[in-house]
Amino acid sequence: MPDRTILSILFAALVAIVCMLFARTSSSAPFGYDEADYMSAGQQGLWANYSDRNSMPLTTIVREGVGLTRDGSQRRSLSQMVRASGDISFYRHYHGPIYAYWIGAWHALGVKEEATYRATGLLLHASLAICIFLLFPRVFPDLPPVAAFVAGSLFVLSRTALVTATTITPHLTFELFACLTLFAVAEFLRTRKVSYWYVAAALIAATVASVETAAVLVAAVILTVVSAEWRQGWKRVLVLLGKGGAVLIITLALIWPKGVFELNALKGYLFLAYMAMYPKAFSPIGPFDLWGFKVKAYPFELVPLGVAFVSALIWLAKSQHRRALSPFLVYAAMFLAVTMIITLPYTYYHSSLMASLAVVTGVVFGELWMRSAATIRVATLAVVIGSAVWVGAEYQRERIDDRSTRNLASELLSYLDSRPSFERVVLVPQVLIPMLHYYHPEIAAIGYDDDRQRTERLAKSSTGNPD
């Protein structure tokens, strides 16, 4: 069995190499649709985001949202109205402010280039990979050290996670806090020490202040804890959930006051409900098209994780690690269930799923390692790590190719910059409005719908390109 010290050195080297290589190929393209808005919010600074500057009342959002469900053609005029108001939560797309704090910190440090901003996400990526490697043996102490190495390596080399790490998106902070939450819940279930439950509740608050996918995490945590603890009595379960909820609300009030006191946190969840009610308005593809494409395009990333997930479900009841493993399994299962309804193809939406599946795969690998002969151990390790390295290397080649490709946003900015006396009112596809607002706020941009371009953008986003 490889020594833990040797594995630690190898893992540290792997994380450093991956981050160095992908930092060098970080895209310098103009910030695209979502990215431009997130940058606009983040660069307004810590206080503006902490206080939700110019935030429109929840009642206004509800009223306008109801009108939108009746007449979808009003989407463009609604966007123009909200942009004119300067509502900072709109620029965050009604997500919480945690990721905006991250962008604001780098802005305060003087970062200016697009490639540098995108590369900062690799620090969060590396942090989570290291957390997985260090926390894994604590939560699963009976498994060999090589299992932690496999779990951490699968995540750090995951194409999905690397796409997220090099994109301007709040899913970066969400995946970090979501995975830490699952580890805290797992440790609570393993040790029954209630302090870990309170840590998990505080971490959930950070996910709520990141993106609305936190609703899936909350549901998964509640289901896991209720399933594990109901035999101890429903009174204990209700007290546990009540105290955890109190910790969550108090923490959320500290990191996002208006999210609690003015119910601004509900805005994003109302939009999530709208997406669930009208999924075809956001993505024309079905769930089997979505995952069929991903598995076909990236088999070396998804097949090992899928095999491990199914294997864990089959032998979970017999496993001595079932209590600690259950939060990761339940979250992955519920996340996959949600993608059967909301089929947005953006790769970074699935980054937290990859983190949980990396841990599940590490546990399955560890169990197999302890029960197998030396030749099977080595062969399995070679296949798993070899597949992960292949995934990372292939995406690295994609990034190199993408750096030499100019997109429509780049061409438009070059055109405008070459004509300083150009008319200050322009008619452009709706998807370019946030980019123009970020780089040329002096221009009055009028957007129009372009179904062909929207379809191409959805297709391109499904391959992980940030623009």
Side-chain angles (χ1 to χ4, degrees), residues 430-453:
Q430 184 69 25
V431 295
L432 294 180
I433 293 293
M435 182 272 293
L436 274 179
H437 186 86
Y438 177 79
Y439 288 101
H440 288 285
E442 76 282 1
I443 292 179
I446 302 174
Y448 64 88
D449 291 327
D450 184 346
D451 291 338
R452 177 189 58 80
Q453 186 185 61

Side-chain angles (χ1 to χ4, degrees), residues 40-55 86-89 92 97 100-101 104 256-258 264:
S40 294
Q43 290 184 354
Q44 291 187 47
L46 173 65
W47 178 250
N49 283 281
Y50 185 77
S51 62
D52 277 352
R53 178 185 292 168
N54 296 327
S55 180
D87 182 349
I88 197 168
S89 62
R92 298 197 310 254
Y101 298 160
W256 186 15
K258 289 192 176 181
N264 283 356

Side-chain angles (χ1 to χ4, degrees), residues 26 201 214 280 367 418:
S26 179
K280 294 302 180 182
E367 293 275 3
S418 66

Side-chain angles (χ1 to χ4, degrees), residues 326-356:
S326 58
F328 300 95
L329 270 179
V330 172
Y331 177 72
M334 294 190 71
F335 192 102
L336 287 169
V338 169
T339 65
M340 297 296 106
I341 301 172
I342 300 176
T343 59
L344 288 171
Y346 308 126
T347 299
Y348 47 80
Y349 273 44
H350 307 127
S351 58
S352 62
L353 174 64
M354 296 300 109
S356 62

